[in-house]
Amino acid sequence: MADVEMTKAASDDDWVKIVSEDGYSFLVQRKVANASETMQDMLDTSGNYSEAVSRTCPVQQRGVIVEKLLEYMSFKSYYANAGPKDDIPVGELMDRIPPEIVLELLLAADYQNM
Amino acid sequence: MALPDDRVPTLVQYCQRVAAIHVEAISSFGDELRYDLVKPILQRCTVDQLLRLEQASPHLQKDTPEIWKELCFRTYPTAAERYHRGEIPEPESWKDQYFNLVEEEARRFEEVGLKIRRQRQEADERKKEQEIKITNQIPQGKRRWGVSAPPKTLFQKTKSEASKMQKNMYTKPLFPPMPSNGRNFRVLPADKAVLLPPHSGETSSRVTVNTVVHRVSAFGPVNSKSSSPMKSSPNSALSVTSLAPSPSPVLLSPRKPNTVSLTPSPSKSTSSSLSFTGPSSVITTLGQDAAQSPPKKRRLTSPEHSSPGSDPRPSRSLKRDPMASLFLPKHRAYSQRIS
């Protein structure tokens, strides 16, 4: 009997793989990946995207860009639950963006809706 | 899980901020970046940067008038006011409008600059005219010799006389005014006897003393030709040797322009003091001697007699009645002024 392969339920502790177009792959926790709405949708197990099944999300960007994206995502998810009294070092992230890639990053960030 | 994203800026915002800071380094936006992504960056460019980026990414150009309009308002607020009040119609191209405004501004600057420059030049010219100029021409006199000034009215006359008098009378004179006997000014006293040193009595029997007065200038050139040897040293024994025309120093008081008189006396003279004997032939050589001895004599006596020399003048003024000055006014009366 052929069972329909069910997508395993996602949990926040899952790790997902993000793959850049030039072959770099990054393993991040699901909650980090969910900082990007696009990625969240892609990896959503309720949908039947192949990405969800394989828990791999390819991004059409260079490895450098993907790395920066993920850096931002982890920053954002880290401070997501910060209380109202905590200071978020917003300027720190800005320093970490080199101007050489900023336009590409802008494009990618816009695509990822983050 | 809702991500509270109001506290952490989006990556898009981050990138826009970073890009705006480094807009100089951006050569082009490429084809893919949409206008609304890029807008915050463009809003922070300068005019040159905006032009450059516009040209590099032509697809943005249809959206840039908005940016130019903002630029216009930012740079020329007075024009912005006029536009808002409705005086200027909406221009077709805000970019062109911007450059029109730039030109207008430049023209206004030029005008103002010219005006200031012109004013400065005029001021300089006016100053130059008043400067001292070096010229070869004789400046024209204020009045020509044949033509006299227009006749003054009585009032003018009185006014000028009054000012002249005021100047002369009420200012302190720097030097004492010349006395009225200035012409008869003398260095040595008129009383010539003072000059002669008293002669010793022993020679009085033998020698007659006559003072000979002559004017040095009159005789000088005349007698220069006669070349008798001159013994002008005071110590020489008065040349007794002969009646030959050996001159000897003769005392001369160079005062009154009188005739020369000399009584010839036997010249058995002793070596008396300088000044006494006069052999007969002295007359001719008088001038020469006179030329030499008076200076010597003057030198001998003038220091002693400087005070008597200056006496005549004050002594003469003392002859005036001092009481007369009691009732003189402090300043001279109009009729008594010096003029």
Side-chain angles (χ1 to χ4, degrees):
Chain A
M1 138 177 103
D3 286 327
V4 173
E5 220 175 293
M6 295 294 281
T7 320
K8 270 210 221 117
S11 68
D12 275 348
D13 292 339
D14 282 353
W15 292 82
V16 293
K17 190 155 72 167
I18 312 295
V19 181
S20 74
E21 66 183 8
D22 48 353
Y24 289 97
S25 51
F26 305 85
L27 284 170
V28 288
Q29 282 189 322
R30 193 175 279 271
K31 69 168 179 171
V32 170
N34 287 344
S36 154
E37 290 179 21
T38 318
M39 251 187 244
Q40 189 179 23
D41 292 340
M42 282 207 293
L43 293 167
D44 195 353
T45 47
S46 58
N48 261 337
Y49 291 132
S50 57
E51 296 90 4
V53 171
S54 60
R55 298 207 314 251
T56 310
C57 185
V59 175
Q60 293 303 316
Q61 298 291 345
R62 297 188 294 142
V64 178
I65 306 295
V66 174
E67 188 182 20
K68 266 304 171 214
L69 286 174
L70 291 173
E71 200 177 316
Y72 171 76
M73 284 151 72
S74 39
F75 175 84
K76 185 169 170 180
S77 62
Y78 182 79
Y79 287 105
N81 297 325
K85 293 221 177 123
D86 294 342
D87 291 327
I88 299 177
V90 173
E92 272 185 26
L93 188 59
M94 209 154 81
D95 293 338
R96 299 182 67 85
I97 300 175
E100 292 85 2
I101 61 164
V102 73
L103 290 177
E104 278 186 80
L105 198 57
L106 178 61
L107 204 58
D110 180 62
Y111 179 78
Q112 296 290 335
N113 218 339
M114 60 179 182
Chain B
M1 172 172 47
L3 291 171
D5 49 10
D6 44 356
R7 295 189 68 195
V8 179
T10 64
L11 190 54
V12 171
Q13 285 170 343
Y14 265 122
C15 290
Q16 283 169 343
R17 255 189 258 175
V18 174
I21 291 168
H22 298 276
V23 79
E24 274 286 318
I26 300 174
S27 57
S28 158
F29 282 128
D31 296 331
E32 296 175 354
L33 287 168
R34 296 191 318 267
Y35 170 71
D36 41 354
L37 280 179
V38 165
K39 183 172 155 187
I41 307 173
L42 289 176
Q43 281 172 335
R44 283 159 185 73
C45 300
T46 66
V47 180
D48 297 327
Q49 288 161 355
L50 183 57
L51 271 175
R52 185 166 45 94
L53 293 169
E54 229 187 27
Q55 282 169 2
S57 315
H59 68 281
L60 298 170
Q61 281 181 4
K62 52 185 180 310
D63 297 309
T64 47
E66 191 185 21
I67 312 262
W68 286 110
K69 184 171 170 179
E70 280 177 18
L71 245 183
C72 286
F73 289 174
R74 231 187 301 151
T75 338
Y76 301 108
T78 51
E81 271 178 46
R82 286 179 17 223
Y83 169 79
H84 283 309
R85 268 187 267 131
E87 292 173 12
I88 309 178
E90 172 100 19
E92 286 198 14
S93 159
W94 277 102
K95 186 159 73 163
D96 295 339
Q97 178 70 9
Y98 177 82
F99 288 113
N100 286 343
L101 286 172
V102 170
E103 272 181 40
E104 258 188 56
E105 191 82 10
R107 240 183 289 132
R108 230 180 293 141
F109 274 158
E110 265 293 317
E111 249 179 76
V112 174
L114 274 173
K115 202 165 42 133
I116 291 177
R117 220 175 299 139
R118 214 186 327 124
Q119 281 178 354
R120 207 180 353 111
Q121 275 177 355
E122 280 175 17
D124 276 343
E125 278 175 19
R126 247 177 273 128
K127 235 207 291 183
K128 270 200 164 188
E129 280 171 24
Q130 296 174 359
E131 261 182 8
I132 297 173
K133 293 193 200 103
I134 297 173
T135 169
N136 283 330
Q137 300 167 0
I138 302 167
Q140 220 186 19
K142 289 186 186 163
R143 212 169 291 170
R144 273 180 277 139
W145 288 114
V147 181
S148 59
K152 287 189 173 174
T153 67
L154 189 61
F155 179 70
Q156 281 175 329
K157 268 193 246 172
T158 3
K159 202 168 158 196
S160 62
E161 302 264 307
S163 58
K164 261 194 258 174
M165 178 168 68
Q166 191 184 34
K167 256 186 262 168
N168 289 333
M169 281 183 20
Y170 297 112
T171 55
K172 190 173 176 176
L174 293 169
F175 300 106
M178 191 64 157
S180 51
N181 59 348
R183 283 200 182 168
N184 301 332
F185 185 80
R186 293 176 199 282
V187 174
L188 294 175
D191 183 11
K192 51 200 181 301
V194 193
L195 278 183
L196 306 183
H199 54 272
S200 49
E202 47 191 9
T203 57
S204 58
S205 56
R206 299 221 180 167
V207 176
T208 12
V209 179
N210 287 84
T211 63
V212 177
V213 181
H214 81 284
R215 286 203 167 216
V216 181
S217 56
F219 281 97
V222 174
N223 291 320
S224 55
K225 295 177 199 157
S226 60
S227 55
S228 27
M230 305 251 299
K231 280 194 215 158
S232 51
S233 68
N235 294 331
S236 63
L238 297 178
S239 55
V240 181
T241 49
S242 61
L243 284 170
S246 59
S248 54
V250 173
L251 169 72
L252 302 167
S253 155
R255 268 303 189 69
K256 291 186 195 151
N258 292 335
T259 56
V260 174
S261 61
L262 195 63
T263 53
S265 54
S267 59
K268 254 198 206 166
S269 56
T270 56
S271 61
S272 63
S273 62
L274 182 58
S275 39
F276 294 99
T277 55
S280 53
S281 53
V282 172
I283 293 176
T284 53
T285 60
L286 208 52
Q288 272 182 319
D289 292 341
Q292 285 228 345
S293 45
K296 244 188 296 176
K297 203 60 201 172
R298 235 187 253 128
R299 249 180 282 128
L300 286 173
T301 60
S302 54
E304 307 168 30
H305 298 286
S306 55
S307 42
S310 56
D311 273 347
R313 269 169 282 121
S315 61
R316 269 181 212 158
S317 65
L318 285 174
K319 286 176 197 165
R320 291 196 201 123
D321 181 12
M323 295 301 289
S325 60
L326 263 185
F327 297 104
L328 271 179
K330 185 178 171 190
H331 306 293
R332 294 176 194 249
Y334 177 81
S335 53
Q336 302 301 317
R337 61 187 174 91
I338 306 167
S339 61

